[in-house]
Amino acid sequence: MSATAKRPLIMGLCGAQGSGKSTLSDSLAARLRVTGVRAAVLSLDDLYLTKAARQRLARDIHPLLAIRGVPGTHDVALGLSVLDNVARPGPTVLPRFDKSVDDRDAVGVIVDGPVDLLLLEGWCVGAVPQDNAALHHPVNELERVQDPDGRWRRYVNGRLAGDYQRLFARLDGLILLAAPDFAVVRDWRCQQEETLRARLRATGNPADQTMTDRQVAAFVQFYERLTRHILAEMPGRADLVLRLDAGRQVVED
């Protein structure tokens, strides 16, 4: 970054799958733009590694890494590059990931810099690793059956302890949308898939690119360990905690 570049304010927004963080981020950025603030949104989901890259991880490290989601399946260097680039004058390409085909969009979205505010939103934005002792016991069937020796979860935790912390260290503030418990995440994620199906049908694309409720139930197990850890640990240090009910409404503590 050049010495004359203006550093944008970088705010993190963490929330479980389906909690409404993307909607909130986009709405907030739009309102700020109306007031003259140059605001942009970067989703952690849009930093997912390509399908080919995840397949290489699955072959070389652990088969579960073929599935997007956990730390270790994102391109953190790309995220850091975006944070640097939006501070400079001129266009920056924000990456986009197409979940309907499970791969990165080749085009992305262009924003003109420098921006004043970047919202970094994602299900594990700002998360910290677990103690090694916490990794010994599986939290669900996925871990019991497909990661019996804990190799996958140790890799995930190790990556979270490494380059992800460099990314999260760039945050100037952290907001947590706190789900009432992990049990609601499956329902929220199913609702997301139904919304995606409706959008695909409206554009003439096949809706079978989305997940069934049964597939969602299996998929959210990839997120369970770290989501539970976030809900237990992050409220004590986040700058703002918005506690949600099952309908995603903010409730009083």
Side-chain angles (χ1 to χ4, degrees):
M1 185 183 302
S2 70
T4 58
K6 177 184 177 183
R7 182 181 179 277
L9 182 72
I10 302 174
M11 292 297 299
L13 178 62
C14 180
Q17 288 188 312
S19 60
K21 57 192 176 296
S22 297
T23 300
L24 177 59
S25 296
D26 290 341
S27 298
L28 179 58
R31 292 190 179 191
L32 288 171
R33 291 186 199 112
V34 171
T35 68
V37 175
R38 299 169 67 91
V41 178
L42 175 63
S43 173
L44 194 65
D45 285 3
D46 287 322
L47 299 178
Y48 281 135
L49 294 170
T50 63
K51 184 182 293 187
R54 285 180 282 118
Q55 288 172 342
R56 287 193 294 272
L57 286 177
R59 181 192 64 224
D60 297 340
I61 298 174
H62 195 287
L64 289 178
L65 293 169
I67 308 299
R68 69 178 190 265
V70 296
T73 62
H74 302 87
D75 188 339
V76 177
L78 175 60
L80 289 166
S81 176
V82 170
L83 297 191
D84 288 339
N85 290 338
V86 295
R88 302 185 177 107
T92 293
V93 177
L94 300 182
R96 289 291 182 264
F97 190 91
D98 187 346
K99 293 180 180 178
S100 68
V101 296
D102 192 27
D103 215 340
R104 190 176 297 164
D105 190 305
V107 180
V109 174
I110 297 177
V111 297
D112 288 324
V115 303
D116 301 311
L117 170 70
L118 180 80
L119 291 162
L120 177 63
E121 62 92 358
W123 77 277
C124 63
V125 165
V128 295
Q130 293 183 279
D131 294 334
N132 288 332
L135 305 176
H136 293 165
H137 302 291
V139 299
N140 54 34
E141 183 180 8
L142 173 78
E143 293 188 357
R144 283 192 298 273
V145 175
Q146 299 189 55
D147 188 40
D149 61 358
R151 184 162 46 96
W152 172 70
R153 51 191 184 266
R154 286 195 301 273
Y155 175 81
V156 170
N157 201 57
R159 286 297 305 275
L160 179 59
D163 52 357
Y164 284 73
Q165 295 309 305
R166 291 195 293 276
L167 179 64
F168 300 154
R170 302 283 293 272
L171 299 177
D172 295 298
L174 179 61
I175 301 168
L176 173 64
L177 296 179
D181 52 50
F182 183 77
V184 304
V185 175
R186 175 187 173 277
D187 293 337
W188 286 352
R189 193 64 180 79
C190 287
Q191 292 166 10
Q192 281 187 318
E193 288 298 303
E194 181 54 42
T195 299
L196 178 58
R197 276 192 288 273
R199 186 165 68 246
L200 290 172
R201 292 190 191 100
T203 57
N205 291 316
D208 59 5
Q209 295 173 336
T210 60
M211 289 187 286
T212 65
D213 288 358
R214 191 172 194 176
Q215 289 171 325
V216 168
F219 184 58
V220 297
Q221 291 188 57
F222 284 81
Y223 298 79
E224 181 171 359
R225 170 178 292 278
L226 189 50
T227 299
R228 290 186 182 277
H229 174 57
I230 288 169
L231 290 175
E233 182 276 331
M234 191 177 287
R237 61 184 176 86
D239 297 287
L240 175 63
V241 179
L242 301 176
R243 298 192 180 276
L244 308 179
D245 62 17
R248 301 185 191 84
Q249 299 300 307
V250 178
V251 296
E252 297 289 339
D253 285 334

